[in-house]
Amino acid sequence: MTVSLTTPLATLLTNRRRVSALKGLGMVTCADALTYYPFRVTDPVPLRAVREGRLGEPMAFAGVVRDVRVMPMNARRGYRVQAMVDDSAFAAERRVAGSVTALVFFSYKQQYVNWLSARLHAGVTLVVCGTPSEYDGMPQFTHPEVLTVPPSPAAAQESGHGLRFDADSLDDALRRVCRPRPVYHANSRISSEHIHDSIVTVLHALAAGASENDAEPPVSQSAVSTSTAAIPTTSEGIMPSPQTLTPALRRAIPDILPEHVRESCGLMHRAEAFLAIHEPDSVDGFRKALHTLRYEEAFVSQTAVLQEREQARKAETFPCPDGGMRETFIDSLPFTLTDGQASVIGDIVKDMGRDYPMQRLLQGEVGSGKTVVALAAMLQAVGSGYQAVLVAPTQVLAEQHAETVGGMVSKAGLDIPVTLVTGGMKLAARRKALAAAASGEPGIIIATHAAFSRTFQAPNLALAVIDEQHRFGVEQRETLLQRGERIPHLLVMTATPIPRTAAMTWFGSLDMSWLTELPGGRKPIRTFVIPEADGPTMANMFRHIRHRIDAGERAYIVCARIDEDESAEQAGQDVELFDEPDDGSGSGEGSGGSSSAQPKPPLHAVSEIAARLEALPQFQGVRFATLTGRDDDATKQQVMADFAAGVTPVLVATTVIEVGVDVPQASCIVIFDADRFGLSQLHQLRGRVGRGGTDSWAFLVSRAEPGSIAEQRLAVIQGSLDGAEIAQADLELRGAGDVLGDAQSGGKSGLRLLRVVKDAKMIADARSRAEQVLAGDPGLEHEVQLAGAVLDFTRGNESHLISS
């Protein structure tokens, strides 16, 4: 049977239930199994004679079976198998007195009991690995790992008692049970040990297939296709050591990295890395394999983004050389651009003057002036005789952008149409707006998701500005950019802080700009963490908010849920909920957390908090409003208008206010259950206040336990207003998946090991070497395996390459 990386596991493993369980973990082919990496490796098991054993500590020893008994369990059905093992010879080598211990096994299955009692017959030599306990004053091992060993080399070729031996020598057996073991994320359907057995079977099957193809002594077919409950063996009944597998595996598993890159970086061959990570001889070998496979991921991902970037430069676009309107607009501003704004605008002007599309990511702090930069870019396009579109994630934000942009254009004395296109418009108004866009006349279009519909046509679209890019899918963005004969320039904006190392990894095909300066007049937001159980401090907070309202200011109150009967899962669709992990004291098989973990208290809801606050004496006579994602567009507009005007100076809302809501009078924000929010989202929400130059406050109401990770996280945001610093802390505390979203994290992608913060130097090195490889071989014609890996990565990771 020919076995390759694409061979389905179902053809190798006859245990259908196990095949199904592996499929549930994403393992369908041999390649899937090999890239299902362990999340840790155990320490080597020490060799100890039975008398040297310590209760509760793993150990390994050798001995001879003196007696085996099978006893029915009277109180319940099933059997107890007890083998008495004497370790005298092994103990004598360690200069310790020998002793006898019991190996105990329980089973309901008569077939298993018969097989076990025959295998552990009197006189057989064993190597035992397990954790000793005590029963009736005597040491015993319950369900230990047992390897049978031939009493002499000559006996290794014999099948005494009709059994095959598990190892060819005592030293081999001891090495196997003592070496470190990989531990995998498992679930209730399959254990880490069975995952390991299955992957070992794949390794041996691949080696066997390569050996057969090369006319070398093959591994027996029964070893690789009949069962995964036991470790595969050779035709003589002895499992080959990992060292003997390496040459065959190198033929079965081709390397992806160019050989000169691998050698210059001191990395292992891919086949050796797979073997060392799934069947490690040492912890150091496991770590070296981990480093090799991490570098491979970095190199493949960076090669992919560099190729994507080069491919984009071959597309035809609209050169936009005329900057007259842009200069007129900048001169009309009542303030001076920050150095950051001026620098980014200069880069954009240069990009848009070229004959290939600009692809730029603009990351800026909340209130750093991204809108001014975007409008300058749009006027560059309009001044050159083309159209520009700004796509916003919500209708409220789109309308605010239309009002802001229209006002700025008017004050600059520019006669430019600003057209609003949203899905919530009345039919007649929407048809008129769509017709204006379809005319191709130079102008600015502000749109929501309506820009991605088939009815939206802009034949002379030279620039697409995507605001808050993480709220749009890749397919939507591509729909907008691929409609015409030429590809428009792209400016992607986000206020969600992303560490630079993460941005380099996930958005490597885009040029990147950062706005870190805040315009003059903005005062720092004072942030306080308030324990919800601290009644006096909570009362003082509400009293302070009332004073600010009496001074003509506004206050946001943010909750994670809409109604009290809304589930946490439903709430999590709008808020990036963070539940602190358990202490890692679980089984170590990745079962998803300790079953004894305390349940989290229910999240506060908008309806509940609004009712509670309205009843407080501090807010007597103050009108409240609520705003959630369930409200229709007309309601949202009216609520925001009343809030801005001071008719309802307190707004109790979900995170629907997170992006784009701009009320200069808002000076206070209270966030309930702040310990359950992501730090980047808390930073975004905090940026809703202080936009009018007044003093401002953010109150993070928490139910975090003292000393917990949640408390540490809130201390980060209390002590910093730097979005990049906060994002990096969030990334380190939670991981890329939670900060960037699964579609941008590798959680559902080809990246499994790479860490965007800790591996920053590795990523930079891989990018530099990938540039050198592509400079000499742009199509990777001489690196076929690398080209295939890049293609596979690209197919599953478009969101990494073009910033979903």
Side-chain angles (χ1 to χ4, degrees), residues 14-23 109 189-190:
T14 58
N15 187 327
R16 299 298 96 186
R17 297 176 70 178
R18 182 173 295 189
V19 170
S20 176
L22 293 171
K23 185 177 181 180
K109 298 180 179 180
R189 298 182 63 196
I190 187 168

Side-chain angles (χ1 to χ4, degrees), residues 691-750:
R691 303 175 74 86
T694 61
D695 291 329
S696 54
W697 296 264
F699 301 101
L700 311 180
V701 179
S702 168
R703 288 184 279 186
E705 294 291 331
S708 64
I709 294 178
E711 187 179 63
Q712 297 175 36
R713 295 171 55 252
L714 292 181
V716 170
I717 199 162
Q718 183 178 15
S720 177
L721 293 171
D722 186 329
E725 179 182 322
I726 291 168
Q728 176 150 334
D730 209 7
L731 195 58
E732 291 171 344
L733 286 166
R734 297 204 288 157
D738 289 323
V739 177
L740 300 177
D742 279 338
Q744 297 170 350
S745 71
K748 297 178 180 178
S749 74

Side-chain angles (χ1 to χ4, degrees), residues 11 17 34 49 173 267 296 301 395 494 505 550 556 593 769 787:
T11 64
R17 297 176 70 178
L34 295 184
L267 303 175
E296 178 186 287
S301 67
Q395 180 161 334
T494 180
T505 304
D550 290 342
Y556 296 106
R769 294 178 189 273

Side-chain angles (χ1 to χ4, degrees), residues 24-155:
L25 293 175
M27 287 180 269
V28 177
T29 66
C30 290
D32 296 332
L34 295 184
T35 54
Y36 192 84
Y37 300 121
F39 66 90
R40 68 180 179 91
V41 66
T42 63
D43 292 327
V45 177
L47 287 175
R48 291 174 183 164
V50 172
R51 287 187 183 275
E52 297 175 302
R54 302 167 190 168
L55 296 180
E57 293 186 13
M59 58 171 281
F61 70 95
V64 178
V65 176
R66 297 304 183 201
D67 177 58
V68 178
R69 284 195 284 176
V70 177
M71 295 160 282
M73 293 185 287
N74 296 327
R76 51 186 177 172
R77 63 188 183 84
Y79 302 89
R80 180 176 186 264
V81 181
Q82 178 177 289
M84 304 305 296
V85 178
D86 184 349
D87 76 334
S88 296
F90 178 75
E93 292 181 4
R94 298 182 61 80
R95 299 182 180 179
V96 177
S99 60
V100 177
T101 188
L103 311 184
V104 181
F105 305 85
F106 300 93
S107 179
Y108 294 124
K109 298 180 179 180
Q110 180 72 56
Q111 184 180 5
Y112 171 77
V113 170
N114 294 340
W115 171 80
L116 187 63
S117 58
R119 183 169 179 250
L120 304 183
H121 61 85
V124 71
T125 302
L126 301 175
V127 166
V128 180
C129 179
T131 302
S133 58
E134 191 174 41
Y135 181 74
D136 280 347
M138 180 180 178
Q140 76 171 25
F141 293 79
T142 304
H143 285 278
E145 179 182 0
V146 174
L147 297 182
T148 58
V149 180
S152 65

Side-chain angles (χ1 to χ4, degrees), residues 452-680:
F452 306 124
S453 69
R454 292 183 179 180
T455 57
F456 178 81
Q457 298 293 330
N460 290 320
L461 184 62
L463 173 66
V465 181
I466 309 292
D467 193 14
E468 291 307 323
Q469 54 82 28
H470 63 286
R471 298 192 172 225
F472 298 104
V474 178
E475 295 81 5
Q476 291 176 317
R477 202 216 65 161
E478 287 297 286
T479 298
L480 179 63
L481 297 186
Q482 300 289 348
R483 283 202 177 139
E485 294 181 0
R486 288 187 277 182
I487 304 296
H489 299 285
L490 174 68
L491 176 63
V492 170
M493 301 195 302
T494 180
T496 301
I498 303 172
R500 292 183 184 228
T501 52
M504 182 174 67
T505 304
W506 309 122
F507 307 109
S509 60
L510 306 180
D511 296 308
M512 285 167 276
S513 299
W514 279 266
L515 289 179
T516 56
E517 303 170 75
L518 294 181
R522 290 290 297 270
K523 296 181 179 180
I525 304 168
R526 283 172 275 188
T527 305
F528 299 91
V529 177
I530 299 180
E532 189 173 337
D534 186 349
T537 304
M538 292 283 288
N540 287 337
M541 174 186 71
F542 292 131
R543 199 173 296 115
H544 170 81
I545 293 172
R546 176 57 188 264
H547 291 329
R548 304 321 308 162
I549 291 171
D550 290 342
E553 297 168 9
R554 316 280 187 271
Y556 296 106
I557 312 291
V558 178
C559 304
R561 290 197 298 171
I562 298 175
D563 302 313
E564 291 186 73
D565 59 354
E566 183 185 20
S567 69
E569 288 76 15
Q570 290 173 312
Q573 295 172 7
D574 296 317
V575 55
E576 38 180 315
L577 294 178
F578 175 87
D579 284 332
E580 188 172 332
D582 61 55
D583 60 5
S585 59
S587 66
E589 290 192 0
S591 56
S594 172
S595 60
S596 61
Q598 293 296 317
K600 294 289 183 182
L603 297 163
H604 289 300
V606 168
S607 55
E608 166 214 350
I609 292 298
R612 279 175 51 185
L613 297 188
E614 285 182 297
L616 292 177
Q618 292 95 325
F619 294 113
Q620 186 174 0
V622 174
R623 291 185 61 186
F624 282 68
T626 62
L627 184 66
T628 73
R630 290 182 190 169
D631 296 324
D632 58 42
D633 291 331
T635 301
K636 289 177 182 177
Q637 294 172 37
Q638 187 60 53
V639 167
M640 290 307 302
D642 289 345
F643 179 65
V647 176
T648 51
V650 180
L651 179 61
V652 185
T654 60
T655 55
V656 69
I657 67 160
E658 176 187 353
V659 175
V661 174
D662 189 358
V663 178
Q665 299 88 348
S667 63
C668 297
I669 185 167
V670 179
I671 304 172
F672 279 91
D673 297 305
D675 53 302
R676 306 281 290 278
F677 284 69
L679 295 189
S680 294

Side-chain angles (χ1 to χ4, degrees), residues 1 4 43 47 57 89 153 198 219 243 254 277 293 315 319 352 391 397 471 496 558 597-598 681-682 694 771 774:
M1 174 184 177
S4 69
D43 292 327
L47 287 175
E57 293 186 13
S198 302
V219 174
Q243 290 79 3
I277 204 168
L293 294 169
M352 292 182 64
V391 185
L397 184 54
R471 298 192 172 225
T496 301
V558 178
Q598 293 296 317
Q681 191 167 33
L682 288 174
T694 61
E771 286 176 341
L774 290 172

